[in-house]
Amino acid sequence: MNDGGHGQFGLLRARRFGPFFVTQTLGALNDNVFKNALVILVTFGIAGLSPDDVNFYVNLAGGLFILPFFLFSATAGQIAEKYEKAALIRVIKLLEIVIMGLATVGLMTESVAFLLAVLFLMGTQSALFGPVKYSILPQHLREEELVGGNALVEAATFLAILLGTMFGGWLIAQHGGAQWVSAAVVVVAILGYLASRGIPPAAATAPDLRINWNPLTETWRNFRFMQTNRTVLLSVLGISWFWFYGAVFLSQLPNYTKTILGGDESVVTLLLTVFSLGIGIGSLLCERLSGHKVEIGLVPLGSIGLTLFGIDLYLAQPDAAVTAGLSASAFLEIANNHRVLWDLLLTGIFGGFYIVPLYALIQTRSEPSHRSRIIAGNNILNALFMVVAAIVAVVFLNAGLSIPQLLLTVALMNAAVAVFIYSLVPEFLMRFLVWMLINTLYRIRKTGLEHIPDEGPAVIVCNHVSFVDALILGGNIRRPVRFVMYYKIFRIPLLKFIFRTARAIPIAGSKEDPALMEKAFAEVEAALKNGDVVGIFPEGALTPDGEIKTFRPGIERILRATPVPVVPMALRGLWGSFFSRRDNALKRARLPRRFWSKIEMVAGAPVPAAQASAAALEQRVRELRGELA
């Protein structure tokens, strides 16, 4: 599994990702080459169409491409579960070649009805591909690669949409444009099929599934299943809201450019390019910011940016332009327009922060046997939210709002939606606060975290240096960890919300509160029997001098009740940093001495429960701490 090299771009060289990446990127490119060529052909190239006819056919085209997602996504999700996915992708790409062959007939004859039927078939092909596109990634990528893989897919998709839109418009405008577009879409479809032949097999996750061909009942069944996992359900709703937000912004971009910015078609292309590049940059940054794991703390950060820069876009240009017909170069000469470009770029970047972790979260938190169907349900909701976005835009604009006011309203709605989602699933906000804390105060080097098992119960033991040890460990370990901690630390303001949301287990000494101590041991036993990872600081208190103290025998009691592997870990460099007790700093009301400290955390090989005495684990943690460079 090391065929891809290091980092997300190394995945492009891996057979388990590279051919799929090329296949899906070419598919997105082809969709948009044809769609935009069709719209321009209907608008400018087919004689005898009145302005009313043009408006009708352009709006109908958008609806016909989305309609198959409602009709066929539920069935597509079942097919993706039942059959081997690589072979299924090749069948879908062969279907694309056939559809593009039909497209050439429509383009040559300039038959609007035939071209619209082809567009419906293209939407059907995209609806079939959608569930396979996202459900195959967890089968070919390790969990720590999912963020990078999804980032590359999202970045490439938005850039393919941009390039396809521009390329399709340029081709159809050439002499003999219909022939050029026909050749292009067929060639791209064939290249996509050839790339798909390199995708390695991905076994069926539910081969015995009986397909329910009724889209209504199957869609309802998918939604019912999503409701059993609130985090997945709200992640799906979060993704669908992003498409609502994006649909409003992108649909208004041409008229916003013309009436508010005074620009021509080249300025529309410039703004679309800037926004798409922002999405690509934000998506690709996710892996670095998340530390090669699914970091849902980036989702609140993304939603904050979507709101702030959406508001600033309104403030940058709230009124109609006094000029008209500005070219891209003339537009760029006006200094105030640079603020609009920055707002769109940053909106795209924070959109990438928002969307990539949500897709990765769905992939990791959903049952493998239902993953494709959940993604199919996500695609249905995405389409529904995009339709609702169009309706909302029409209603608000007819009610008298200007385009900048509409965009401001949607940005403010984004804040309300974020508060709603994060209130129902506090884990998002908790992870955001942890991510902000550990990345603001510390520079962390990690070694040996692969020793922590991917599944099943385990205990982590570590030296105790600061009040935020649990946050540092939990924020960098890919699995959720339930930490046992002294109840007074558990009750620290602000940190209490984080610890409670992370389901930390407060404990007290036998002399302080024997009932709380017994309750803590019972919770630890139940957590381990449930397959959770439990984190323990066996010293029983913060170090007063930076040295490791004697491990208490509580760990032995835990392992007698529930024998599980123990992963020793060590922290180094925290002493003297924020939240440590160097020189009794807290008692003397002195500020900690170091900010943005360089710290290290290391994990050793798991120790079997039979060998994991308190003394043996203490010795192992001491060795790990001494081995760090």
Side-chain angles (χ1 to χ4, degrees):
M1 295 285 283
N2 294 322
D3 53 334
H6 297 289
Q8 62 193 44
F9 292 106
L11 289 173
L12 296 174
R13 300 190 299 271
R15 182 169 177 261
R16 57 197 169 92
F17 182 78
F20 163 78
F21 174 83
V22 173
T23 300
Q24 75 87 28
T25 302
L26 290 175
L29 178 74
N30 223 16
D31 284 350
N32 288 277
V33 169
F34 180 76
K35 279 194 298 182
N36 201 44
L38 173 59
V39 168
I40 292 176
L41 183 65
V42 169
T43 305
F44 299 105
I46 298 180
L49 294 180
S50 69
D52 288 340
D53 289 336
V54 170
N55 287 333
F56 171 75
Y57 286 129
V58 168
N59 288 316
L60 180 61
L64 284 175
F65 188 79
I66 291 179
L67 181 60
F69 287 90
F70 293 104
L71 297 179
F72 306 123
S73 286
T75 303
Q78 297 174 85
I79 293 172
E81 306 282 20
K82 185 174 179 64
Y83 298 104
E84 192 274 309
K85 292 181 179 61
L88 184 58
I89 289 175
R90 286 189 276 276
V91 171
I92 294 171
K93 299 307 289 185
L94 283 173
L95 178 61
E96 182 182 342
I97 296 174
V98 174
I99 293 170
M100 291 310 171
L102 294 174
T104 64
V105 176
L107 288 166
M108 296 302 179
T109 60
E110 294 191 349
S111 169
V112 177
F114 192 87
L115 287 169
L116 290 175
V118 170
L119 188 63
F120 176 82
L121 291 176
M122 284 183 58
T124 302
Q125 189 256 351
S126 295
L128 293 173
F129 185 64
V132 191
K133 171 180 174 178
Y134 285 107
S135 62
I136 196 173
L137 286 177
Q139 290 184 253
H140 283 163
L141 302 183
R142 297 185 292 269
E143 184 172 332
E144 64 269 23
E145 295 173 326
L146 273 178
V147 171
N150 278 284
L152 288 167
V153 168
E154 291 305 309
T157 298
F158 274 90
L159 293 176
I161 291 171
L162 170 66
L163 293 175
T165 301
M166 296 169 61
F167 188 50
W170 179 78
L171 276 180
I172 199 68
Q174 304 304 305
H175 179 69
Q179 292 92 328
W180 285 111
V181 172
S182 298
V185 294
V186 171
V187 168
V188 172
I190 292 173
L191 291 175
Y193 169 73
L194 293 176
S196 72
R197 294 185 62 83
I199 300 174
T205 51
D208 299 325
L209 178 68
R210 293 184 60 185
I211 295 178
N212 174 16
W213 297 99
N214 186 323
L216 295 178
T217 58
E218 184 60 26
T219 297
W220 180 247
R221 184 185 300 174
N222 285 348
F223 290 156
R224 290 287 300 272
F225 184 80
M226 278 192 284
Q227 290 174 1
T228 63
N229 188 325
R230 172 178 278 192
T231 300
V232 169
L233 174 62
L234 290 172
S235 296
V236 167
L237 290 174
I239 290 171
S240 298
W241 169 255
F242 174 79
W243 286 108
F244 176 101
Y245 183 101
V248 171
F249 269 68
L250 294 179
S251 66
Q252 300 306 314
L253 203 57
N255 211 20
Y256 173 77
T257 302
K258 179 180 179 180
T259 61
I260 304 301
L261 302 179
D264 64 9
E265 295 88 344
S266 65
V267 178
V268 177
T269 301
L270 173 64
L271 298 184
L272 181 60
T273 301
V274 168
F275 180 79
S276 300
L277 287 174
I279 291 283
I281 293 169
S283 299
L284 296 176
L285 284 175
C286 279
E287 189 197 40
R288 177 173 293 275
L289 293 175
S290 64
H292 307 283
K293 67 180 185 301
V294 180
E295 180 51 83
I296 63 175
L298 291 178
V299 178
L301 178 64
S303 62
I304 290 170
L306 289 173
T307 293
L308 288 180
F309 295 108
I311 292 172
D312 195 67
L313 186 63
Y314 166 78
L315 297 175
Q317 190 74 26
D319 302 315
V322 295
T323 57
L326 291 174
S327 66
S329 57
F331 176 82
L332 289 171
E333 290 175 359
I334 301 173
N336 190 60
N337 290 336
H338 296 177
R339 180 175 174 183
V340 173
L341 293 174
W342 278 110
D343 283 331
L344 283 174
L345 179 69
L346 290 166
T347 297
I349 289 173
F350 281 87
F353 294 165
Y354 179 88
I355 195 73
V356 168
L358 286 178
Y359 273 118
L361 184 66
I362 291 174
Q363 292 164 339
T364 55
R365 296 285 182 93
S366 56
E367 292 290 335
S369 59
H370 285 76
R371 185 181 290 134
S372 294
R373 282 171 281 178
I374 287 175
I375 292 169
N378 170 71
N379 291 343
I380 294 170
L381 280 179
N382 291 350
L384 177 62
F385 272 59
M386 291 170 71
V387 172
V388 172
I391 296 172
V392 167
V394 170
V395 170
F396 281 13
L397 291 174
N398 287 340
L401 267 64
S402 66
I403 294 178
Q405 289 170 339
L406 170 64
L407 301 182
L408 173 64
T409 301
V410 172
L412 294 175
M413 289 171 63
N414 180 71
V417 169
V419 170
F420 171 73
I421 291 178
Y422 306 146
S423 65
L424 292 179
V425 185
E427 183 184 0
F428 283 100
L429 186 56
M430 180 271 291
R431 293 292 300 192
F432 171 62
L433 293 174
V434 170
W435 183 84
M436 287 290 291
L437 178 69
I438 63 177
N439 284 280
T440 300
L441 298 181
Y442 304 107
R443 293 169 292 163
I444 305 174
R445 176 185 173 189
K446 294 157 282 190
T447 306
L449 297 189
E450 67 277 4
H451 290 303
I452 300 170
D454 291 328
E455 56 186 20
V459 173
I460 291 172
V461 296
C462 189
N463 57 316
H464 203 2
V465 187
S466 77
F467 289 96
V468 293
D469 290 348
L471 301 185
I472 292 169
L473 294 172
N476 287 280
I477 294 172
R478 60 188 178 277
R479 288 184 65 184
V481 181
R482 297 193 63 184
F483 284 97
V484 180
M485 61 180 58
Y486 187 45
Y487 74 100
K488 290 185 178 179
I489 295 180
F490 181 88
R491 294 174 182 174
I492 293 175
L494 179 63
L495 297 183
K496 179 180 179 180
F497 163 76
I498 297 174
F499 293 143
R500 186 179 66 248
T501 305
R503 300 192 303 148
I505 302 170
I507 192 169
S510 57
K511 295 182 180 178
E512 286 182 283
D513 191 337
L516 181 61
M517 185 185 75
E518 292 303 318
K519 181 183 177 182
F521 277 109
E523 281 194 59
V524 170
E525 183 177 350
L528 292 174
K529 288 181 178 178
N530 192 47
D532 294 339
V533 176
V534 174
I536 297 174
F537 302 102
E539 294 165 272
L542 287 178
T543 175
D545 54 13
E547 299 300 320
I548 295 177
K549 300 302 177 185
T550 302
F551 279 19
R552 297 184 180 183
I555 180 63
E556 297 175 359
R557 175 180 171 179
I558 290 170
L559 296 176
R560 282 196 300 270
T562 317
V564 298
V566 182
V567 179
M569 294 191 68
L571 289 169
R572 186 182 184 193
L574 267 172
W575 183 245
S577 68
F578 269 80
F579 300 111
S580 70
R581 267 184 168 165
R582 182 174 179 179
D583 301 328
N584 290 319
L586 294 180
K587 293 182 180 179
R588 299 184 186 183
R590 291 171 54 186
L591 289 174
R593 296 185 177 182
R594 291 189 291 118
F595 179 76
W596 207 40
S597 308
K598 186 175 182 180
I599 65 175
E600 297 169 310
M601 54 185 289
V602 64
V607 178
Q611 303 172 20
S613 66
L617 292 173
E618 177 188 334
Q619 180 62 31
R620 185 65 183 127
V621 172
R622 288 181 180 275
E623 291 172 358
L624 290 171
R625 185 169 177 263
E627 289 173 358
L628 290 169

